[in-house]
Amino acid sequence: MGQQVDYEKIERIARVTLNRPRYRNAQSRVLLEELDAAFGEAMKDDDVRVIVLAGAGEHFSSGHDLGTPEEKEDREQRAYADGVRGIFQRSWDLYVDMSLRWRDLPKPTIASVQGYCIFGGWIVASSMDLIVAADDAMFLPAHFQYFSVPWDLGPRKTKEILWQGRFVEAEEARELGLVSQVVPRAELDQATMALAARIARTDPFVARMIKLSVNQVQDAMGFRTAVQSAHSAYMLMQMGGRVRPSSGDEEAGVRRLGGVARALEERPPSPSEG
C-alpha cells in the first residue's frame, strides 16, 4: 500500500503490517500517515470486519523514529513551524490525534506483537482493542504523548513500572490485562488470525456497538480528557530536556531515548535467549 506499511485482505480480515524491519519498525511520520491511510482503507471496505496490526521482522516496533535518513529527509521537506508551536503540533498530530482516532475505529482491531514494543510501539499497540503477544514480547511504557498506561495497567502498577523504567514481559502483560493471549513466537500469526476470524463471525453492527459502549464507559471515567491533559505534561518534560536521545547510541541510523538505554541494560533475558 505504501513505502513503510503493507496492506492485505484475507477473507474478512485486513492485515496491516509495519514494514521497516531494518529500523525495527521505528515510527516515522510517513509510517504513521500510511498506517492511518491503511486503517481508512479497511473502514471503507464493508467486507472487512476485523483489522490485525503486525510488525515485520524480529520486533513489533522500537518506537519513535529519532533520525533515520528517510525521517530526516521528510522533516526537511515537510517541516512544521519553528519553535514550541511546531513541536507541540507535530506531537499532537502524530501521537494524540491519530491514536485517539485509531482507538475509536468502528471495527475491532488486534495488535500482534513480537520482540520489542517500545514507547511509540506501546502507543500504537495500546490504541488497538486487543493485543496478542509472542512469548518473547517486551513492552516498555513511559510517560509518552498518548498516555494510556494507567488505563492499560492500573495506577499503582503504572507508577511502579515507570519509576523503575523497566520492561513488562509478555506473561506479566497478560496478568495485568494489557495482553489477551501469550503464545509461542512461531504461533503468533496463526493465533492472532484465528482470534480475528472468530471475532469476524460476530455481526459487524453488534461488534461496533459493543466497542462503542465499552469505549464510552472509559470516556465517562475520563479517559479521553486524561490522555489529552497528560500530553501537556509530556510537553513540559520535553521542553525541560527530560525527553532526549542518549548520547553516542546510533545503530544504522537509529537513535534511542535515554530511558530505553536504561531499560535495555536492566532487562531480563527473553525466552529465546534462555
Side-chain angles (χ1 to χ4, degrees), residues 33-47:
E33 289 174 341
E34 290 185 0
L35 182 57
D36 194 48
F39 288 149
E41 183 70 20
M43 291 303 104
K44 291 186 296 183
D45 190 338
D46 287 339
D47 292 333

Side-chain angles (χ1 to χ4, degrees), residues 81-98:
D82 292 334
V84 173
R85 182 168 66 91
I87 294 171
F88 180 94
Q89 194 62 51
R90 177 187 176 88
S91 179
W92 183 271
D93 290 348
L94 299 186
Y95 304 113
V96 179
D97 189 46
M98 281 190 181

Side-chain angles (χ1 to χ4, degrees), residues 7 31 54 56 63 96 107 131 150 155 159 195 200 204-206 222 246 262 265-266:
Y7 181 95
L31 181 143
V96 179
K107 298 180 181 182
I131 301 175
K159 293 173 187 176
L195 175 60
F205 187 71
V206 171
S246 57
R262 173 188 173 184
E265 290 174 359
E266 299 177 359

Side-chain angles (χ1 to χ4, degrees), residues 217-236:
V217 168
Q218 278 193 311
D219 287 340
M221 297 168 65
F223 176 89
R224 181 175 290 266
T225 299
V227 166
Q228 292 173 330
S229 298
H231 181 255
S232 297
Y234 170 85
M235 293 304 301
L236 283 173

Side-chain angles (χ1 to χ4, degrees), residues 250-263:
E250 298 204 16
E251 178 183 347
V254 177
R255 304 165 70 203
R256 295 174 179 152
L257 291 173
V260 178
R262 173 188 173 184

Side-chain angles (χ1 to χ4, degrees), residues 19 24 46 48 96 130 154 177 192 200 229 263:
N19 192 20
R24 299 171 180 167
D46 287 339
V48 170
V96 179
L130 304 175
T192 307
S229 298

Side-chain angles (χ1 to χ4, degrees), residues 7-222:
Y7 181 95
E8 60 179 327
K9 182 180 173 182
I10 305 171
E11 296 181 351
R12 293 182 293 185
I13 302 167
R15 182 179 175 86
V16 180
T17 304
L18 311 178
N19 192 20
R20 300 186 82 202
R22 176 185 176 187
Y23 300 121
R24 299 171 180 167
N25 297 319
Q27 295 169 11
S28 65
R29 178 181 178 182
V30 170
L31 181 143
L32 294 171
E33 289 174 341
E34 290 185 0
L35 182 57
D36 194 48
F39 288 149
E41 183 70 20
M43 291 303 104
K44 291 186 296 183
D45 190 338
D46 287 339
D47 292 333
V48 170
R49 293 193 174 185
V50 181
I51 301 169
V52 168
L53 175 63
E58 291 298 307
H59 303 283
F60 176 76
S61 177
S62 59
H64 301 78
D65 186 331
L66 302 179
T68 65
E70 296 93 331
E71 173 67 8
K72 289 180 178 178
E73 181 180 357
D74 181 76
R75 290 191 183 212
E76 292 175 358
Q77 294 179 350
R78 299 191 297 161
Y80 275 80
D82 292 334
V84 173
R85 182 168 66 91
I87 294 171
F88 180 94
Q89 194 62 51
R90 177 187 176 88
S91 179
W92 183 271
D93 290 348
L94 299 186
Y95 304 113
V96 179
D97 189 46
M98 281 190 181
S99 300
L100 288 171
R101 180 163 63 250
W102 300 341
R103 170 195 178 245
D104 289 331
L105 291 172
K107 298 180 181 182
T109 57
I110 307 173
S112 181
V113 176
Q114 80 283 6
Y116 291 141
C117 183
I118 293 174
F119 291 2
W122 182 299
I123 291 176
V124 173
S126 69
S127 66
M128 302 294 99
D129 296 309
L130 304 175
I131 301 175
V132 177
D135 54 7
D136 68 345
M138 303 284 286
F139 299 86
L140 185 60
H143 190 315
F144 32 54
Q145 296 96 327
Y146 176 75
F147 192 50
S148 65
V149 186
W151 303 83
D152 298 331
L153 304 181
R156 285 190 171 85
K157 202 64 181 180
T158 294
K159 293 173 187 176
E160 181 253 302
I161 291 169
L162 265 57
W163 281 335
Q164 294 181 79
R166 70 171 177 84
F167 279 99
V168 178
E169 298 177 74
E171 190 56 39
E172 182 183 12
R174 187 193 65 79
E175 293 172 358
L176 292 171
L178 174 69
V179 165
S180 298
Q181 298 179 33
V182 176
V183 298
R185 172 68 174 266
E187 301 173 14
L188 177 61
D189 182 65
Q190 179 182 0
T192 307
M193 295 301 288
L195 175 60
R198 292 194 297 273
I199 294 173
R201 292 199 291 267
T202 302
D203 179 274
F205 187 71
V206 171
R208 180 174 184 177
M209 291 302 100
I210 290 170
K211 177 169 181 172
L212 179 64
S213 293
V214 173
N215 282 9
Q216 285 177 336
V217 168
Q218 278 193 311
D219 287 340
M221 297 168 65

